[in-house]
Amino acid sequence: MSVFDTLLSDCSSHTMASEEPEVGLFIPERAEMYRNSTEVKMSQIVLPCHANHRGELSVGQLLKWMDSTACLSAERHAGCSCITASVDDIHFEHTIGVGQVVNIKAKVNRAFNSSMEVGIMVSCEDLFANRQWKVCNAFATFVARHTDEGKVQLKQVMPQTQEEQTEYSVAAERRRMRLLHTEIMKDLLGNGPKGDDCQDFDDAVPSERTRVESVELVLPPHANHQVNTFGGQIMAWMENVATIAASRLCNAHPTLRTIDMFHFRAPSQVGDRVVLKAIVNNAFKNSMEVGVCAEAYRGRETPRHINSAFMTFEVLDAEGNPRNLPRIKPEPLDGPRRYREAIARKKIRLDRKYIISCKQTEVPLSVPWEPSNQVYLSYNNVSALKMLAARTNWVLTSEKNKVNLYTLEENQVLCFKVETHVDIAAKRVFALLSDLTRRKEWDRHYKHCEMINQVDEEDAIYHVITPSVSKTNKGQDFILLASCRTPCNSGDPYLIALRSVTLPTHPPTEDYIRGEIFCAGFSILEVSSMVCKVSYYNQASPGVLPYISNDIAGLSSGFYNSFCSCSKFLEENKESRATADSTAF
């Protein structure tokens, strides 16, 4: 794993990175207002020296500023030097012009042993029009460097607000996704098309024409006080050669839209020669993928791999709409492989952007499940439940024998929570409730439940049949993805997240009305060794409302009866040897 120390370069004369409370540009901040202790802000006026030929801020320069701000935040939390390990996907929503102000805010979302996730938010401000807008957000992973005392053990982040609690909770799921990223990519690329699908068009541009190679000498201004090259500087050099490669394909000025998740794999230092190579891998109708590689060497050393990245460019017309692009003709030997892999990466890119990057309310109730998007659906499933559980404005609707029903209504969406305590170890409760095939033993709404796909140790897909609640006398059925998570740290709950997916092997039938669940599941929090708090959440969809409307209106005690049955089921099975202290799949 390559990593780079990232601090503010002394050569930037316009940097204003603040680590003390200040007057904010968007929200006035007073001394008595809460401010995250790891929060760092940077504001930059875009000058002509920062811009490209279109008068827009160079993305490479923006990446340097983002990396510097994030590193300062990480070092503020760690109390020692930190190095950039990876950066998640970045989607650039808008460009930034000369004379406008770039505002960057970074804060540590969560710490894991010696690594931490830093959230970065970039916005643009037009001082003359008095308006501001979001440019992008990103998540970077930093690692604390070893000190003279040995390996650094980071202190835990203590979230204070609902927003911080949400980011803290979801950060664990993002970390899981990062750890699986390389394996997912290998599997998808290995199972991708292997035929000769590179059609030969007369007007195609040979990919060899787009090849770029450039060398940079690492000088002291490019490095930090430990003489390691800034991670942001490496990213800026990579963006530069990628832009040249994209320009050679379209003979126009391209706009960078997306940088895929990447990891630094080796360091470089002052005196190194950094060789950057770029080539267009594939061109689609309105976008192209450029692959970039960075290697470093000194003297006659064998070049060492620093980083590889894939960037997506568009070419905009006068109205700002993407233009059609020329076709690409892969070069012999390695070209067809890169051509096909670009197609597979585009599929992954669309899945990630569609399922992960968009707002929770913009994701359809039921998304087609397939192995290539499993990790992203699982992330969306767990993060949606964590975000729902982190809400603080629940309203207590009813209370009966320590079983509480809460509701939350926002933006015409009704959510409910049922909560109680049981005198059973949280680990045992998690093991029992994570087996959905046993839910019919205590939940009258589960008539039948069958596991139809054991995805991995933590995720499975079930077919659930519920009794009829309509005049048609037809029951409902659901195809549910169940994602089960054990605590990442002490104080975290066990989670069982549920959401609807679609499977081609199980289409809707005439026998049942196909229902859908957007977000539901259990949170099981350990109170003591033999007591835990069990909370059930559900973001009510039209298919679920008929089952809960009477309870919410106070006309029945269905929730209470179900939780009493659940408590009885847990009590009767807490000593069962047939149930392991782990998930059921």
Side-chain angles (χ1 to χ4, degrees):
M1 175 181 68
S2 157
V3 284
F4 295 94
D5 285 281
T6 51
L7 297 170
L8 281 176
S9 175
D10 293 337
C11 65
S12 177
S13 60
H14 301 282
T15 300
M16 296 182 291
S18 169
E19 297 187 66
E20 298 297 331
E22 59 185 33
V23 177
L25 290 172
F26 303 111
I27 302 175
E29 295 178 350
R30 299 182 297 273
E32 66 271 14
M33 293 184 66
Y34 168 74
R35 173 88 177 265
N36 187 295
S37 61
T38 69
E39 183 180 294
V40 173
K41 293 181 178 180
M42 176 188 288
S43 292
Q44 295 275 1
I45 293 180
V46 179
L47 302 178
C49 62
H50 301 139
N52 57 26
H53 40 270
R54 295 166 59 100
E56 298 169 349
L57 173 64
S58 163
V59 174
Q61 181 64 61
L62 177 59
L63 291 171
K64 288 198 289 185
W65 289 339
M66 291 170 63
D67 187 53
S68 297
T69 311
C71 185
L72 286 175
S73 174
E75 291 185 339
R76 190 170 189 183
H77 179 74
C80 62
S81 297
C82 295
I83 47 183
T84 313
S86 67
V87 180
D88 290 3
D89 294 0
I90 306 177
H91 304 283
F92 299 98
E93 299 179 15
H94 300 282
T95 57
I96 305 170
V98 170
Q100 295 176 332
V101 175
V102 180
N103 296 305
I104 305 173
K105 183 170 69 174
K107 62 183 179 66
V108 176
N109 291 331
R110 187 161 184 164
F112 307 93
N113 297 324
S114 62
S115 69
M116 68 201 95
E117 178 191 278
V118 179
I120 310 166
M121 175 64 71
V122 181
S123 60
C124 181
E125 180 183 9
D126 189 324
L127 297 174
F128 302 99
N130 191 30
R131 63 189 187 92
Q132 50 275 322
W133 57 91
K134 175 185 172 184
V135 175
C136 68
N137 68 286
F139 298 99
T141 301
F142 285 81
V143 176
R145 290 179 61 90
H146 291 200
T147 63
D148 295 338
E149 289 75 24
K151 187 175 181 180
V152 175
Q153 179 68 41
L154 294 173
K155 61 183 178 182
Q156 291 299 312
V157 173
M158 304 300 292
Q160 300 296 320
T161 66
Q162 178 180 315
E163 178 185 359
E164 290 178 2
Q165 179 59 51
T166 300
E167 292 295 349
Y168 175 88
S169 183
V170 177
E173 193 64 17
R174 281 192 291 262
R175 180 173 184 259
R176 176 181 181 273
M177 185 172 60
R178 289 183 202 110
L179 297 175
L180 295 173
H181 177 71
T182 302
E183 181 181 344
I184 295 166
M185 293 295 295
K186 287 181 178 179
D187 288 345
L188 184 59
L189 296 179
N191 296 326
K194 298 180 175 59
D196 186 14
D197 53 357
C198 305
Q199 301 182 43
D200 189 5
F201 296 96
D202 294 336
D203 60 347
V205 177
S207 62
E208 185 64 27
R209 185 186 301 175
T210 69
R211 186 181 295 277
V212 180
E213 181 171 328
S214 180
V215 64
E216 298 283 354
L217 174 62
V218 181
L219 300 174
H222 301 141
N224 58 31
H225 60 283
Q226 296 175 335
V227 303
N228 286 333
T229 314
F230 292 132
Q233 181 63 69
I234 296 290
M235 290 188 281
W237 285 336
M238 295 175 73
E239 185 270 339
N240 176 60
V241 294
T243 300
I244 296 173
S247 300
R248 289 180 175 175
L249 173 69
C250 57
N251 297 322
H253 305 312
T255 298
L256 179 59
R257 286 304 189 198
T258 301
I259 303 176
D260 291 358
M261 178 189 293
F262 60 87
H263 300 262
F264 290 102
R265 304 187 181 281
S268 70
Q269 297 180 328
V270 171
D272 281 349
R273 280 69 171 168
V274 177
V275 179
L276 303 120
K277 303 175 182 179
I279 191 171
V280 176
N281 292 329
N282 204 335
F284 307 100
K285 182 178 180 181
N286 300 121
S287 65
M288 70 185 93
E289 180 194 275
V290 179
V292 195
C293 174
E295 297 177 333
Y297 71 95
R298 180 174 302 193
R300 297 184 178 180
E301 290 179 351
T302 301
R304 56 191 184 277
H305 184 203
I306 301 297
N307 188 14
S308 292
F310 300 98
M311 304 184 184
T312 302
F313 289 84
E314 294 177 346
V315 177
L316 306 180
D317 60 20
E319 286 74 35
N321 299 315
R323 282 172 34 185
N324 290 343
L325 298 177
R327 297 182 177 92
I328 195 79
K329 180 181 180 180
E331 62 179 344
L333 301 178
D334 203 36
R337 177 188 62 81
R338 289 187 286 102
Y339 182 95
R340 290 190 295 268
E341 289 181 352
I343 297 174
R345 279 188 295 269
K346 183 183 180 184
K347 170 65 169 62
I348 295 176
R349 200 172 294 125
L350 291 173
D351 285 340
R352 288 174 64 84
K353 182 177 180 180
Y354 185 60
I355 298 173
I356 296 176
S357 301
C358 61
K359 298 178 182 178
Q360 296 292 332
T361 54
E362 295 175 353
V363 181
L365 287 180
S366 188
V367 177
W369 179 92
E370 54 188 55
S372 65
N373 70 2
Q374 159 57 28
V375 68
Y376 313 127
L377 278 174
S378 179
Y379 167 83
N380 180 272
N381 192 18
V382 175
S383 62
L385 180 60
K386 287 185 173 183
M387 290 178 184
L388 188 59
R391 303 302 297 269
T392 58
N393 50 341
W394 293 96
V395 177
L396 179 62
T397 302
S398 66
E399 182 179 6
K400 184 176 181 181
N401 294 338
K402 298 182 180 181
V403 176
N404 298 338
L405 170 62
Y406 301 84
T407 57
L408 174 63
E409 187 173 2
E410 284 187 355
N411 300 322
Q412 298 182 336
V413 176
L414 176 65
C415 306
F416 65 89
K417 173 176 70 170
V418 187
E419 195 168 82
T420 191
H421 287 74
V422 295
D423 296 330
I424 305 171
K427 189 176 182 180
R428 177 67 70 179
V429 172
F430 174 68
L432 289 165
L433 295 183
S434 62
D435 185 359
L436 292 193
T437 60
R438 300 194 64 181
R439 186 161 168 174
K440 61 181 182 290
E441 296 180 32
W442 60 269
D443 189 347
R444 62 186 178 85
H445 296 131
Y446 270 53
K447 183 178 180 181
H448 176 77
C449 181
E450 173 190 8
M451 181 191 293
I452 55 180
N453 190 344
Q454 182 172 321
V455 179
D456 54 36
E457 294 180 355
E458 297 179 304
D459 296 87
I461 299 177
Y462 292 86
H463 183 212
V464 177
I465 298 175
T466 63
S468 172
V469 290
S470 65
K471 297 179 180 180
T472 62
N473 291 324
K474 281 188 177 182
Q476 280 193 305
D477 70 336
F478 300 81
I479 305 297
L480 299 181
L481 170 65
S483 302
C484 300
R485 301 289 186 268
T486 56
C488 183
N489 291 328
S490 59
D492 289 349
Y494 293 85
L495 290 174
I496 305 168
L498 306 171
R499 68 155 296 151
S500 287
V501 295
T502 59
L503 285 177
T505 56
H506 289 73
T509 65
E510 295 182 357
D511 298 331
Y512 302 100
I513 300 172
R514 177 58 53 89
E516 293 183 317
I517 292 176
F518 175 67
C519 174
F522 291 92
S523 171
I524 305 162
L525 181 64
E526 183 179 62
V527 177
S528 65
S529 60
M530 290 304 296
V531 178
C532 67
K533 181 173 70 175
V534 181
S535 303
Y536 176 75
Y537 298 87
N538 198 310
Q539 183 170 320
S541 62
V544 175
L545 281 173
Y547 297 97
I548 65 172
S549 56
N550 286 340
D551 287 87
I552 293 176
L555 301 178
S556 73
S557 301
F559 282 133
Y560 171 73
N561 294 332
S562 293
F563 255 60
C564 287
S565 297
C566 180
S567 298
K568 182 179 179 182
F569 166 78
L570 295 173
E571 183 67 31
E572 291 175 348
N573 291 275
K574 66 179 182 180
E575 303 296 339
S576 173
R577 295 185 178 182
T579 304
D581 286 336
S582 60
T583 60
F585 47 86

